Amino acid sequence: MDKKRIWKASPPYNVVKWIYSFLNNRSQITKIGQSYSSVNKINRGIVQGSAIGPSLYKVMKSDLKSKSKTIKLLKFADDANLLVPEFTDIDIKDEFDAILAWARINKMTLNMNKTKELVFHRPSPFKFLSPIPLCDIEVVREAKLLGVYFSDTFSMESHVNYILKICTQRSYLLKLLSKQGLSVMHLHTVFHALVMSRILYAVSSFHNFLSVTQVERIESFLKRMFRYGFSKQLYVFRSIVHEIDATLFEKVIRPTHCLHHLLPSVKPSFHMGLRPKGHPYSLPLCKFNLHRYSFISRCLFEFN
């Protein structure tokens, strides 16, 4: 009988001691004007601004997982989002109770005032039956997720109003800078930093859900900025987002990208002299436009 060689990795004891020493016996003090508070010890949390802080925070939240395979738990920094389909094997209340239990074990507290429930559904009210809401959680029609406003019917009207309001306010600063004699080149740089960055933030996640009227409002704003001389170039919104989609999709098809797991399976290779394809992945079966308009699906069809 062949002998099996078993390798047992030794724990990096010195590294563990170093991290423990780094986190242990820390204290803080607060200064207001010339007044100082007493010194208080810090017995929990991650040292903000430290190089190892993000990795330690990731390790701390690594055991926060969904109980169901059909429910997705999306984590980003100190936010957690449950994505629950219509039919699940575990009730959403059980999932939420598990998150509350995890928070108690890790000496954390959920901010119930910021915890909201958003139920996505088709725009037609006759095809929608509202589920029973969770206790102590407010049910809202729209919510802001990582800087983007989403509504329960996937309308992007609130988000367009939000970004145009912010950009209009920032355009007033450009007007003041122009009056102070700032050159066109530098105005264009400030315009990109303050205005275009806001319009194009996470644009691949929502631009295909915009209505014709909403796109026209954005392009009308860009034309006005060009007419005022704040931008050296007249931007066309659809052309810009098409280039952004192409650049992002080129990165997504790399196995190391964080969105790569969302891609479908690779198609069997056929050598029949067909035209070269943009990617080797199978095209998804999209029963509804909302699925077809999502970033991964539309890129698979558009860049095929």
Side-chain angles (χ1 to χ4, degrees):
M1 182 176 180
D2 295 336
K3 294 182 179 180
K4 294 183 179 179
R5 302 180 65 183
I6 301 177
W7 296 89
K8 184 177 180 180
S10 301
Y13 186 64
N14 291 334
V15 175
V16 174
K17 285 182 62 179
W18 176 76
I19 295 176
Y20 177 81
S21 175
F22 176 72
L23 298 175
N24 198 31
N25 295 324
R26 302 190 71 92
S27 60
Q28 68 177 17
I29 189 172
T30 302
K31 177 185 177 184
I32 301 179
Q34 299 300 320
S35 301
Y36 294 85
S37 69
S38 58
V39 178
N40 292 320
K41 289 187 176 181
I42 304 174
N43 58 6
R44 66 186 67 177
I46 303 299
V47 182
Q48 187 174 4
S50 62
I52 199 174
S55 298
L56 293 177
Y57 189 78
K58 184 177 180 180
V59 170
M60 187 205 56
K61 290 185 68 175
S62 61
D63 60 341
L64 177 58
K65 299 178 180 179
S66 172
K67 298 175 61 178
S68 170
K69 293 183 178 180
T70 59
I71 296 178
K72 303 295 183 182
L73 179 60
L74 310 176
K75 298 175 287 185
F76 183 84
D78 59 346
D79 287 336
N81 299 275
L82 277 175
L83 189 60
V84 184
E86 183 178 3
F87 302 104
T88 61
D89 54 343
I90 295 179
D91 189 74
I92 184 175
K93 186 178 184 305
D94 296 334
E95 284 282 0
F96 189 71
D97 289 342
I99 295 177
L100 291 175
W102 179 90
R104 286 193 298 269
I105 293 173
N106 290 273
K107 299 180 180 180
M108 299 179 67
T109 303
L110 263 67
N111 190 338
M112 298 302 295
N113 293 329
K114 292 185 177 181
T115 303
K116 310 294 181 182
E117 181 178 5
L118 180 65
V119 182
F120 295 106
H121 60 88
R122 297 183 186 180
S124 175
F126 302 103
K127 299 179 181 180
F128 171 64
L129 180 62
S130 179
I132 300 175
L134 293 175
C135 297
D136 302 325
I137 296 182
E138 180 185 2
V139 179
V140 295
R141 296 290 307 275
E142 61 184 29
K144 187 178 181 181
L145 179 60
L146 300 180
V148 179
Y149 280 92
F150 291 95
S151 75
D152 53 359
T153 59
F154 286 95
S155 169
M156 303 307 299
E157 183 68 20
S158 294
H159 186 64
V160 172
N161 291 337
Y162 169 70
I163 60 177
L164 289 181
K165 178 183 177 181
I166 296 294
C167 292
T168 301
Q169 294 172 348
R170 294 178 178 181
S171 67
Y172 178 71
L173 175 61
L174 290 168
K175 180 180 179 181
L176 296 179
L177 292 174
S178 177
K179 288 184 176 180
Q180 293 295 324
L182 193 66
S183 66
V184 176
M185 181 182 66
H186 290 105
L187 278 174
H188 182 77
T189 302
V190 177
F191 170 77
H192 257 273
L194 297 183
V195 177
M196 288 302 294
S197 62
R198 178 63 267 183
I199 293 176
L200 300 180
Y201 171 77
V203 70
S204 293
S205 66
F206 68 84
H207 78 80
N208 227 42
F209 299 106
L210 298 177
S211 66
V212 174
T213 303
Q214 291 164 352
V215 173
E216 290 177 349
R217 290 179 59 194
I218 296 175
E219 293 196 336
S220 176
F221 175 81
L222 293 175
K223 290 178 182 178
R224 191 161 63 250
M225 295 297 99
F226 174 73
R227 189 167 63 251
Y228 291 165
F230 300 154
S231 172
K232 295 192 301 181
Q233 179 181 351
L234 177 58
Y235 292 101
V236 179
F237 181 73
R238 286 298 189 191
S239 299
I240 299 174
V241 296
H242 178 79
E243 295 177 4
I244 292 175
D245 277 357
T247 302
L248 180 57
F249 186 69
E250 184 180 350
K251 297 178 181 178
V252 169
I253 61 178
R254 300 172 186 172
T256 55
H257 197 273
C258 60
L259 298 181
H260 184 78
H261 68 283
L262 298 177
L263 295 172
S265 58
V266 176
K267 294 180 293 187
S269 58
F270 295 97
H271 302 283
M272 300 176 59
L274 301 177
R275 66 176 179 85
K277 299 289 185 179
H279 62 80
Y281 300 99
S282 302
L283 298 180
L285 179 61
C286 301
K287 296 182 180 180
F288 305 101
N289 284 335
L290 287 177
H291 185 197
R292 179 71 179 258
Y293 292 162
S294 62
F295 170 72
I296 294 294
S297 297
R298 73 168 180 268
C299 287
L300 286 171
F301 282 99
E302 186 171 357
F303 303 115
N304 182 32

